[in-house]
Amino acid sequence: MAASPVAPQHRIVYFLFYFFSLYPMDMFNLPPGASHFFYSREELLGLKTTAHAGIRHHIPAELRRRYRGCKAGAKLKAKLADNRRRFKPSIPSIIMGNVNSLPNKIDELSALNNQRTYRESSLYIFTETWLNHLVPDANVDLPGFTVVRADRDANACGKSRGGGLIIYINHRWCSPGHVTVKEVLCCPDLELLAVSLRPYYIPREFSHVIALCVYIPPSADAAVACEKIHTVTARLQTQHPEAFIIISGDFNHATLDSTLAAFYQAVDCPTRNNKTIDLLYTNVRDAYRATPLPPLGKSDHNLVHLQPQYTPLVQRQSNTTRSIRKWSSEVEDALRDCFEATDWDVLLKPHGEDIEGQTHCLTDYLNFCLDVVTPAKTVRCYPNNKPWVTQEVKAVLNRKKVAFRSKDREAIKSAQREVKQCLKEAKNNYRRKVEHKLSESRMREVWDGVNTITGHRVKTVTARGSVEEANRLNNFFNRFDQPTTLPPSLQPPPPPPLPPVHLLHDNNAVPFSPLPSPHPSPCITADQVRGELRKLHPRKAAGPDKVSPRLLKTCAAELGEPLQHVFNLSLQLGKVPTLWKTSCIVPVPKKNRPSELNDFRPVALTSQLMKTLERLFLNLLRPQVQHAQDPLQFAYRAGVGVEDAILYLLHRAHSHLDKGGGTVRILFLDFSSAFNTIQPLMLQDKLLRMQVDPCLVSWISNYLTDRPQYVRLTDTTSDTVVSSTGAPQGTVLAPLLFTLYTSDFCYSSELCHIQKFADDTVIMGCIRDDREEEYRSLVNDFVVWSQRNHLHLNTSKTKELVMDFGKSRPCPRPVLVRGDEVEVVGNYKYLGVWLDNKLDWSCNSEHLYKRGQCRLYFLRRLRSFNICRKLLQMFYQSVVASALFYAVVCWGGSTSTKHSNRLDKLIRRASSVVGTKLDSLVTVAERRSRNKLLAIMDNASHPLQPVISAQKSLLSDRLLLPRCRTNRFKDSFVPRAIKLYNSALGGRGRSSRKKEGLEKMGH
């Protein structure tokens, strides 16, 4: 009988069997504890069948079967990954709508549940279910979903039919055991159901999900309903500050845009006919994309599918690599010893008066010593790392994973309790660490810990791109250095060499001699250098020269003399080293999604040594230009700031409008990259006419010219270096030099004036009987002056605000700037305060309310750590109160009662979180107004000081109230502050009562 042929796969099995029988098993790399194993012929032939599936021996990875072809392709991997992500969304996908009686539509909903859109949704949120206690849960159940319902209570709302709320939770997204009802509310104005959900997966920045389903009947009081929703939401936010909150339902004629200003509405499609009345709010911006779906049954409301668009933090921010140095007291002592033992004469004298050589030598030596003593270390930072997630916490989490794989329910519960306890203890340890730093008055470390807990300080995201993109940005930021020629009509006349020059100031010509008076030779002492080095912030970024500010601050005593030598040599030669003028431009996006080059703000990163020299130079320059500064320039002056600029503008407007029959026109002008457009030759001529020392003028001219710059993106640097002119944003001298550059154009009369705050320029005209000639002439003169001085006006951002309380006057003729009409707006944000054409502060109050609600979130996060009350109060005053009471002296007495009550409500919410009573809006406004009035009275150079002095009584220390025809002027700053001042002095107003009154005011 002939032998049957052997199949090829059987031959391989026979070969393996023969191979293993020849060689001992000890020569193979078996795992520890593995013993010899033997196969029979039948077992070897049946290894690929399911009959011997129970045999599981250790097979090395290189001998395991590898899939080939389509089974190992990218398509299959992507499909599997998509299936896993589909039921693990970052935030829940939602189908919401008004169903108008659910029981007769449950069959259709069950059929739709088999479709992919419905089957993969995490939540169904329905209003007007028309369910009652007679309808059991079994009649409205859906396979694979947990049902949470809140039927209408006839006794509470007065109606037995209609209403009703229901939420379906997908089992594949959240376990039924992790669903908790937080709040059920039923009244004539509102039905509300709040449910807490802990899904299988949620990003680390969220603790869990809270879903609120609401229904506001058409006959309800919208204000009462919104107030109740706000109360419930605020309490849930206080209890769970890290939760992702959803508020969904049928709002009919109500909205939460003003009540919950920190929440964002996601539904942008019609839900009933052409109206959008089914809304969804979340506490995360751009969380969902809304898509309409057909209505359920004969309901007159469309369903809405909310698809998640949120990107988790770990995916939104990539890992960063940083180079750090580990500083210690031993390292600082070693650096001091190194520089103290250095012979600086041997190091610097060989270069003579070569300022470039001395600078490079000094910089290289400082960096060399730093690298030797404390070498740099590269670390990787993850965006979602928390300092309280320690190794112990990670070990407990790993034990939980092991228990989950074992499918032992008791072990899983025990591991979950262990994780919860370990996290609680880790947070308490971190909290105690922060409080201990507070007791030791280590405030910087305390503030870092508070910011870490709350997530308040978010790192600014810089731009990304290739080298080509960096080069394009570099050339764009340098566009003002291109040669431009002015038409003959705008060419500035040549300056006269000897006759005195008259600068316009309050319509009075003030002559200045063009010949500078003799000045002592500019010199900087070693003690001055040490003093400025000790003021450096140790955590500031180093400039292009890589010299660390912490090194300069630590070794200030040892580096004072060599730096003094280099600084004085720079002043004597009138030359700034090229290395110190080099700027690293970091483009910071102006908006969330920049689309063009102009959407980036160039911030210059320069050498810390150069900034120290600039501060010392500023002390030499400021006394020589004090007399020539514009009195209506409110920036960079001691005792004058943003509030003073707004108060002066408002006082001029109020006093003019109070007389009746007048109009106020305010033109807000915007410059493009104002600091970069300073022309060195023009500034040099202006400084010489201000009697500034020629040595300082020569140094400034060199400082402003031939400034190398390059652009740095994230992990990318431009490969070309361009030479720019001007003082880029981020340097110390740029603000003062720009104010001096623009100080020769100043104007102030009874009807018109021009005021400035750095490069924010405002032209105000008080119009009566349609006489606009002076106002228009001033605007035209300023436009011509700007062109002559190479200042580029951005006409698209230049706006005009017209205040006119007359009822029958026609609209004023528009103002032209360089041939373009200026847009007239109803409100404008000036120096952080929103001004409107009615001066009722409604727009400003809305923005403050929204900012205050956002800041309360951080306060709640801090409270969840059980931090001490002292730190809570400090955080409230620094973060929350600074936003709520910004420039409160300007609007505190003029805002309406409605808006004051809304802000006071936020203060009461913060008070409940902090645990102590906080000052109300009126209290803070009155206190700050009194203090501001006293500061104005003590400052002789303040623009409002003559106004206050004119109200002084000749018989007592009281101030006379100005005549006010309208309540609008009566509630403004000057009359209100005078009234508060007089009340603090007492009823008689004698001189003997002045001291007592000031003590009451806390002066």
Side-chain angles (χ1 to χ4, degrees):
M1 184 175 178
S4 60
V6 181
Q9 60 268 26
H10 294 171
R11 293 176 184 174
I12 297 175
V13 173
Y14 292 155
F15 171 75
L16 292 174
F17 180 79
Y18 177 73
F19 178 79
F20 285 112
S21 63
L22 292 178
Y23 296 93
M25 299 303 297
D26 295 336
M27 66 179 296
F28 297 100
N29 186 18
L30 294 177
S35 58
H36 301 278
F37 54 89
F38 302 93
Y39 290 104
S40 64
R41 181 176 180 274
E42 291 75 12
E43 290 175 338
L44 288 174
L45 294 176
L47 280 178
K48 293 182 60 178
T49 65
T50 57
H52 297 80
I55 301 177
R56 289 291 184 270
H57 291 297
H58 174 75
I59 301 176
E62 58 270 15
L63 296 181
R64 294 175 186 169
R65 179 178 178 180
R66 298 179 183 177
Y67 288 99
R68 306 287 182 182
C70 63
K71 289 187 178 181
K75 273 188 179 180
L76 179 63
K77 294 180 180 179
K79 183 178 180 181
L80 295 175
D82 183 60
N83 289 335
R84 287 193 296 268
R85 286 194 300 268
R86 192 174 302 154
F87 300 104
K88 198 175 75 170
S90 56
I91 55 178
S93 57
I94 301 171
I95 292 179
M96 56 164 285
N98 185 311
V99 295
N100 282 339
S101 180
L102 183 62
N104 56 10
K105 302 178 179 68
I106 194 66
D107 293 334
E108 180 181 352
L109 183 61
S110 301
L112 290 173
N113 193 36
N114 295 324
Q115 298 181 8
R116 178 175 177 178
T117 301
Y118 290 80
R119 184 176 65 252
E120 295 173 0
S121 296
S122 307
L123 297 174
Y124 298 166
I125 301 179
F126 297 143
T127 57
E128 281 211 88
T129 60
W130 295 12
L131 298 177
N132 53 52
H133 65 282
L134 300 178
V135 180
D137 289 344
N139 287 12
V140 293
D141 277 347
L142 286 178
F145 284 81
T146 302
V147 179
V148 180
R149 51 189 273 192
D151 303 340
R152 172 171 284 184
D153 187 355
N155 298 326
C157 68
K159 293 183 180 180
S160 58
R161 299 189 59 184
L165 311 171
I166 194 167
I167 299 178
Y168 289 94
I169 301 101
N170 197 328
H171 290 171
R172 306 177 79 173
W173 177 71
C174 180
S175 171
H178 294 166
V179 178
T180 306
V181 177
K182 304 294 290 186
E183 186 84 21
V184 177
L185 181 62
C186 185
C187 64
D189 298 311
L190 175 69
E191 295 180 40
L192 182 144
L193 170 64
V195 181
S196 173
L197 308 165
R198 292 187 179 273
Y200 299 117
Y201 167 78
I202 195 168
R204 188 178 295 180
E205 54 265 29
F206 302 128
S207 58
H208 59 292
V209 177
I210 297 180
L212 283 83
C213 180
V214 300
Y215 173 65
I216 302 177
S219 60
D221 187 340
V224 175
C226 292
E227 176 61 26
K228 291 182 181 295
I229 295 175
H230 177 270
T231 302
V232 175
T233 306
R235 183 170 65 252
L236 292 175
Q237 280 187 302
T238 303
Q239 296 172 355
H240 312 283
E242 298 182 4
F244 176 73
I245 299 179
I246 303 166
I247 306 175
S248 170
D250 185 356
F251 285 80
N252 281 306
H253 56 285
T255 63
L256 298 177
D257 295 338
S258 60
T259 306
L260 289 174
F263 279 64
Y264 308 95
Q265 208 279 117
V267 180
D268 55 0
C269 57
T271 60
R272 182 182 180 185
N273 298 328
N274 59 349
K275 297 181 180 179
T276 304
I277 60 177
D278 297 293
L279 308 177
L280 183 137
Y281 292 87
T282 63
N283 57 346
V284 175
R285 187 190 296 271
D286 299 331
Y288 287 102
R289 184 180 75 246
T291 304
L293 294 176
L296 199 61
K298 294 183 178 181
S299 174
D300 56 351
H301 290 249
N302 296 331
L303 298 182
V304 182
H305 183 207
L306 281 307
Q307 298 169 294
Q309 299 296 305
Y310 176 78
T311 304
L313 181 63
V314 68
Q315 300 176 14
R316 191 166 63 248
Q317 297 181 10
S318 60
N319 304 335
T320 58
T321 302
R322 290 169 45 189
S323 179
I324 63 172
R325 300 180 187 272
K326 189 174 181 179
W327 289 82
S328 62
S329 57
E330 292 79 9
V331 170
E332 294 177 353
D333 292 339
L335 286 173
R336 293 192 189 98
D337 294 340
C338 177
F339 294 136
E340 188 175 2
T342 301
D343 190 346
W344 298 103
D345 292 338
V346 175
L347 193 67
L348 300 178
K349 274 191 176 181
H351 298 280
E353 293 188 354
D354 181 11
I355 187 68
E356 300 287 349
Q358 288 195 15
T359 303
H360 281 281
C361 180
L362 179 63
T363 302
D364 293 341
Y365 182 71
L366 293 178
N367 290 330
F368 168 76
C369 294
L370 185 62
D371 291 335
V372 171
V373 175
T374 169
K377 179 182 178 182
T378 303
V379 296
R380 177 167 291 180
C381 302
Y382 298 89
N384 58 349
N385 269 2
K386 300 296 183 183
W388 51 86
V389 181
T390 59
Q391 293 296 331
E392 292 78 8
V393 173
K394 293 179 180 179
V396 174
L397 290 173
N398 290 332
R399 289 199 291 271
K400 180 183 176 181
K401 292 180 182 178
V402 173
F404 177 76
R405 294 192 187 100
S406 67
K407 298 183 180 181
D408 186 350
R409 300 183 62 88
E410 294 299 327
I412 294 174
K413 291 181 180 179
S414 176
Q416 178 59 34
R417 287 193 297 268
E418 189 178 4
V419 169
K420 185 176 180 180
Q421 183 64 29
C422 187
L423 276 173
K424 183 178 180 181
E425 184 61 29
K427 288 185 176 182
N428 287 334
N429 290 336
Y430 190 79
R431 172 183 57 81
R432 286 191 287 267
K433 185 186 298 183
V434 174
E435 293 177 350
H436 178 68
K437 294 175 182 176
L438 177 65
S439 63
E440 296 181 349
S441 299
R442 296 156 62 182
M443 298 308 300
R444 184 188 61 78
E445 298 179 12
V446 170
W447 192 244
D448 288 343
V450 169
N451 286 329
T452 302
I453 293 173
T454 59
H456 170 244
R457 185 177 57 188
V458 180
K459 183 179 179 181
T460 303
V461 180
T462 57
R464 293 176 175 271
S466 60
V467 177
E468 291 77 11
E469 184 70 17
N471 291 333
R472 285 206 310 134
L473 282 169
N474 199 14
N475 294 327
F476 176 75
F477 295 147
N478 196 46
R479 66 191 184 278
F480 297 107
D481 268 7
Q482 306 302 324
T484 58
T485 58
L486 295 175
S489 59
L490 297 179
Q491 289 290 345
L498 289 178
V501 179
H502 297 272
L503 295 181
L504 189 61
H505 171 61
D506 288 338
N507 284 354
N508 297 320
V510 182
F512 293 101
S513 172
L515 297 177
S517 59
H519 292 283
S521 178
C523 183
I524 298 173
T525 64
D527 290 336
Q528 291 175 334
V529 176
R530 297 187 186 101
E532 290 297 332
L533 292 179
R534 293 190 180 100
K535 296 178 184 177
L536 289 176
H537 195 293
R539 292 199 170 189
K540 288 290 185 180
D545 59 355
K546 307 300 182 184
V547 177
S548 169
R550 182 159 188 173
L551 168 68
L552 301 175
K553 183 181 178 72
T554 301
C555 306
E558 292 75 21
L559 297 177
E561 292 185 0
L563 289 179
Q564 177 210 10
H565 171 74
V566 179
F567 290 169
N568 284 330
L569 180 62
S570 174
L571 293 177
Q572 293 170 10
L573 298 177
K575 184 178 179 182
V576 181
T578 305
L579 180 61
W580 289 357
K581 289 195 295 184
T582 304
S583 301
C584 174
I585 305 298
V586 180
V588 178
K590 299 179 184 178
K591 53 178 71 173
N592 293 334
R593 294 181 177 89
S595 57
E596 55 184 12
L597 297 178
N598 202 28
D599 292 338
F600 294 94
R601 177 180 292 106
V603 177
L605 192 64
T606 57
S607 169
Q608 293 293 334
L609 290 171
M610 183 65 218
K611 290 184 177 180
T612 303
L613 177 56
E614 290 181 65
R615 295 186 183 97
L616 294 169
F617 185 86
L618 202 61
N619 297 332
L620 299 174
L621 178 64
R622 185 175 281 119
Q624 300 187 27
V625 298
Q626 195 79 27
H627 63 283
Q629 291 188 355
D630 185 358
L632 294 184
Q633 171 63 263
F634 291 88
Y636 320 116
R637 289 173 54 189
V640 179
V642 171
E643 292 180 345
D644 303 274
I646 300 173
L647 287 176
Y648 185 78
L649 185 74
L650 292 175
H651 177 72
R652 295 287 300 263
H654 279 298
S655 58
H656 177 73
L657 294 172
D658 188 66
K659 299 175 184 178
T663 303
V664 173
R665 304 186 68 168
I666 307 176
L667 186 67
F668 300 95
L669 296 145
D670 183 82
F671 292 108
S672 298
S673 298
F675 295 170
N676 296 79
T677 55
I678 298 176
Q679 299 298 311
L681 293 179
M682 290 186 175
L683 180 61
Q684 178 179 350
D685 180 68
K686 294 178 182 183
L687 291 177
L688 290 176
R689 295 170 184 276
M690 296 177 189
Q691 302 179 351
V692 178
D693 187 356
C695 295
L696 301 184
V697 175
S698 175
W699 188 91
I700 292 174
S701 299
N702 186 269
Y703 167 80
L704 295 175
T705 55
D706 298 330
R707 299 184 62 91
Q709 72 175 35
Y710 61 92
V711 169
R712 186 186 70 189
L713 303 178
T714 303
D715 302 328
T716 306
T717 304
S718 58
D719 56 1
T720 59
V721 179
V722 298
S723 180
S724 63
T725 302
Q729 184 174 345
T731 56
V732 177
L733 279 177
L736 180 63
L737 294 181
F738 182 80
T739 59
L740 297 176
Y741 189 71
T742 59
S743 63
D744 59 340
F745 192 97
C746 47
Y747 188 91
S748 179
S749 67
E750 184 180 356
L751 297 180
C752 295
H753 80 278
I754 179 170
Q755 69 178 61
K756 310 163 190 172
F757 192 93
D759 58 336
D760 292 313
T761 305
V762 174
I763 297 178
M764 180 176 179
C766 300
I767 313 300
R768 192 175 302 279
D769 299 330
D770 295 333
R771 298 177 183 174
E772 301 179 348
E773 294 80 8
E774 184 180 356
Y775 171 68
R776 292 181 178 275
S777 176
L778 178 59
V779 173
N780 293 333
D781 291 344
F782 184 78
V783 172
V784 172
W785 174 87
S786 300
Q787 290 178 301
R788 287 179 176 176
N789 288 268
H790 299 272
L791 295 174
H792 299 260
L793 283 173
N794 190 345
T795 55
S796 62
K797 293 185 178 180
T798 298
K799 308 295 180 183
E800 187 181 26
L801 190 67
V802 180
M803 301 177 184
D804 187 358
F805 302 116
K807 298 182 179 179
S808 59
R809 274 190 290 273
C811 296
R813 291 184 296 114
V815 176
L816 298 179
V817 174
R818 294 167 55 185
D820 299 329
E821 289 189 4
V822 176
E823 181 185 0
V824 179
V825 295
N827 52 70
Y828 185 84
K829 186 179 181 181
Y830 177 58
L831 302 180
V833 176
W834 284 90
L835 305 176
D836 54 69
N837 53 7
K838 297 300 180 183
L839 291 178
D840 58 1
W841 301 105
S842 57
C843 183
N844 185 69
S845 300
E846 289 290 339
H847 284 83
L848 289 178
Y849 183 79
K850 187 172 183 178
R851 288 181 62 191
Q853 278 198 331
C854 295
R855 300 294 176 92
L856 276 181
Y857 164 77
F858 301 113
L859 188 65
R860 293 187 179 105
R861 287 281 301 269
L862 189 62
R863 179 66 181 84
S864 66
F865 261 68
N866 296 323
I867 209 75
C868 66
R869 185 173 298 177
K870 184 177 179 181
L871 264 177
L872 286 174
Q873 291 178 347
M874 182 187 71
F875 188 83
Y876 167 79
Q877 294 295 339
S878 303
V879 177
V880 183
S882 62
L884 284 177
F885 303 135
Y886 178 76
V888 70
V889 298
C890 305
W891 53 267
S894 304
T895 187
S896 63
T897 305
K898 172 186 174 182
H899 293 104
S900 297
N901 292 338
R902 292 186 69 201
L903 295 176
D904 282 334
K905 186 189 300 182
L906 283 182
I907 297 173
R908 290 194 295 271
R909 297 288 182 194
S911 178
S912 64
V913 176
V914 175
T916 184
K917 187 176 180 180
L918 302 172
D919 293 337
S920 64
L921 175 65
V922 175
T923 304
V924 175
E926 290 181 354
R927 182 175 64 248
R928 295 190 182 183
S929 297
R930 289 194 296 259
N931 293 338
K932 175 58 69 175
L933 180 66
L934 293 175
I936 293 174
M937 294 172 63
D938 294 338
N939 189 355
S941 63
H942 197 286
L944 282 178
Q945 208 270 347
V947 177
I948 304 298
S949 300
Q951 302 301 125
K952 286 186 177 180
S953 173
L954 300 177
L955 302 177
S956 65
D957 295 324
R958 297 167 62 87
L959 296 175
L960 301 178
L961 283 172
R963 294 183 179 181
C964 304
R965 296 178 62 252
T966 61
N967 290 331
R968 189 179 294 108
F969 184 35
K970 186 178 180 180
D971 294 335
S972 63
F973 169 74
V974 173
R976 187 179 74 253
I978 290 177
K979 186 177 180 180
L980 294 172
Y981 176 82
N982 291 336
S983 64
L985 288 178
R988 291 173 295 176
R990 302 289 184 182
S991 299
S992 59
R993 303 281 295 177
K994 182 176 181 180
K995 183 177 179 180
E996 180 183 353
L998 295 180
E999 290 176 355
K1000 290 182 181 179
M1001 296 165 57
H1003 183 61

